[in-house]
Amino acid sequence: MSLSTSARAIGLDLPRQPSRVVPTVIAIIVGIVIVAAAAGLPIPWDDLGSLPGQVVHYLTLMFAAPNWEMLPQALFETWRSISMAWIGAIGCVVVSIPLGMLAASNVGPVWLRLPLRGLFAVIRAVPEVIIALLLLTVTGLTPFTGALALAIAGIGTQSKWVYETIESVQEGASEAVRAAGGGTAEITRWALWPAAAPVLLSFALYRFEINIRTSAVLGLVGAGGIGSMLANYTNFRQWDTVGMLLIVVVLATMLMDAISGAIRRRIMRGPRIKTIAKALAKPKEEHSDVARTR
């Protein structure tokens, strides 16, 4: 005897079990779409067996004996990519913070924040590479093109982070400033900005980390930096130099991520507890030294 039958026998009405028809139909439709998409792609299925061997072959060509003679030029181009990422991050943050604050529901009016949010959504929909290709016709093949593309492309995401952070600030300080007679400008300056500043600065450094990775991709379309050098030597099949460049890119990215991550943790957590404990213990030590001298 099932549980539902036993429940009805004693006069209890259990809710009906949810129907699995709709989830099953959706799963079948998704599976059909995936199979149709894979079947429509020109995939050489017969060559998949030789793919691991080819990967090992090219990895051996790149990393068995890297060409370290090009290391000075690679370091210089890496520095150009980092500079491009830094300039792009600064431009993005300088523009996105005021625009993002105006797009917050507790700062900007509805007639202003809705168009701004629509603009941010449009910018987020356009990849950095497309923006760089459009700018190439105006600014040419220079690192400034990459920096400008990174700045414009980052405004959409960075501004979204800004207004979401502003909207998540607790209302206590805002209500206090409002009770003291402050308007929207005073509330933004003395209540919202002090509370959101650490998070926004952390997001700014995170944007710099993202730009470092993206700057190498922009170099593939002629925006300069290590990406352009990598694209050139890949086209000429100089795999030993390509391997050296990949090593430099990976190490430089890891180094900058570690430095930026340490700064972001310091901003979010503040000074270390150990430092505070030493500062609190110092007066006690001085008091004990005075007691010994007496």
Side-chain angles (χ1 to χ4, degrees), residues 20-288:
R20 303 292 301 175
V21 176
V22 175
T24 303
V25 172
I26 294 176
I28 293 174
I29 294 174
V30 171
I32 293 174
V33 171
I34 293 175
V35 172
L41 294 176
I43 299 177
W45 299 103
D46 298 335
D47 298 337
L48 292 180
S50 61
L51 184 60
Q54 294 180 3
V55 171
V56 173
H57 172 68
Y58 284 104
L59 289 178
T60 304
L61 292 177
M62 287 188 290
F63 300 111
N67 182 16
W68 298 107
E69 294 180 359
M70 302 298 297
L71 181 60
Q73 183 180 355
L75 294 177
F76 175 74
E77 295 297 335
T78 302
W79 174 250
R80 293 180 67 178
S81 295
I82 295 175
S83 302
M84 184 168 59
W86 179 247
I87 295 174
I90 292 177
C92 169
V93 171
V94 168
V95 175
S96 62
I97 286 182
L99 292 181
M101 295 184 74
L102 290 175
S105 59
N106 50 352
V107 176
V110 65
W111 59 266
L112 178 60
R113 67 172 181 266
L114 291 182
L116 285 176
R117 294 190 181 192
L119 176 63
F120 302 153
V122 171
I123 295 176
R124 288 197 303 272
V126 182
E128 292 89 347
V129 176
I130 302 300
I131 297 177
L133 290 175
L134 295 176
L135 293 175
L136 285 175
T137 59
V138 179
T139 57
L141 298 174
T142 62
F144 176 72
T145 302
L148 191 58
L150 291 173
I152 296 174
I155 291 175
T157 305
Q158 197 75 19
S159 299
K160 181 179 175 63
W161 292 343
V162 170
Y163 71 72
E164 288 181 348
T165 302
I166 295 297
E167 291 176 351
S168 64
V169 173
Q170 296 182 357
E171 295 292 332
S174 301
E175 293 176 355
V177 175
R178 189 178 297 108
T184 302
E186 288 76 14
I187 293 174
T188 304
R189 170 62 182 87
W190 301 108
L192 298 178
W193 172 251
V199 179
L200 297 182
L201 292 177
S202 176
F203 282 150
L205 289 172
Y206 186 56
R207 169 55 52 185
F208 173 56
E209 296 178 16
I210 296 175
N211 285 355
I212 290 178
R213 300 180 182 91
T214 311
S215 62
V217 179
L218 293 182
L220 300 177
V221 298
I226 191 66
S228 295
M229 188 176 179
L230 184 61
N232 293 332
Y233 283 97
T234 302
N235 293 332
F236 288 107
R237 301 296 190 269
Q238 298 186 15
W239 301 115
D240 53 350
T241 305
V242 171
M244 182 272 300
L245 293 175
L246 290 177
I247 293 174
V248 171
V249 169
V250 171
L251 292 179
T253 303
M254 293 176 61
L255 178 62
M256 298 308 299
D257 284 352
I259 295 174
S260 178
I263 297 175
R264 285 194 294 111
R265 287 191 296 270
R266 182 59 183 268
I267 291 174
M268 296 300 298
R269 298 177 184 178
R272 293 183 178 179
I273 300 177
K274 185 183 295 185
T275 305
I276 299 176
K278 288 182 179 180
L280 294 176
K282 189 174 182 181
K284 296 181 179 179
E285 295 176 357
E286 294 178 352
H287 180 72
S288 60

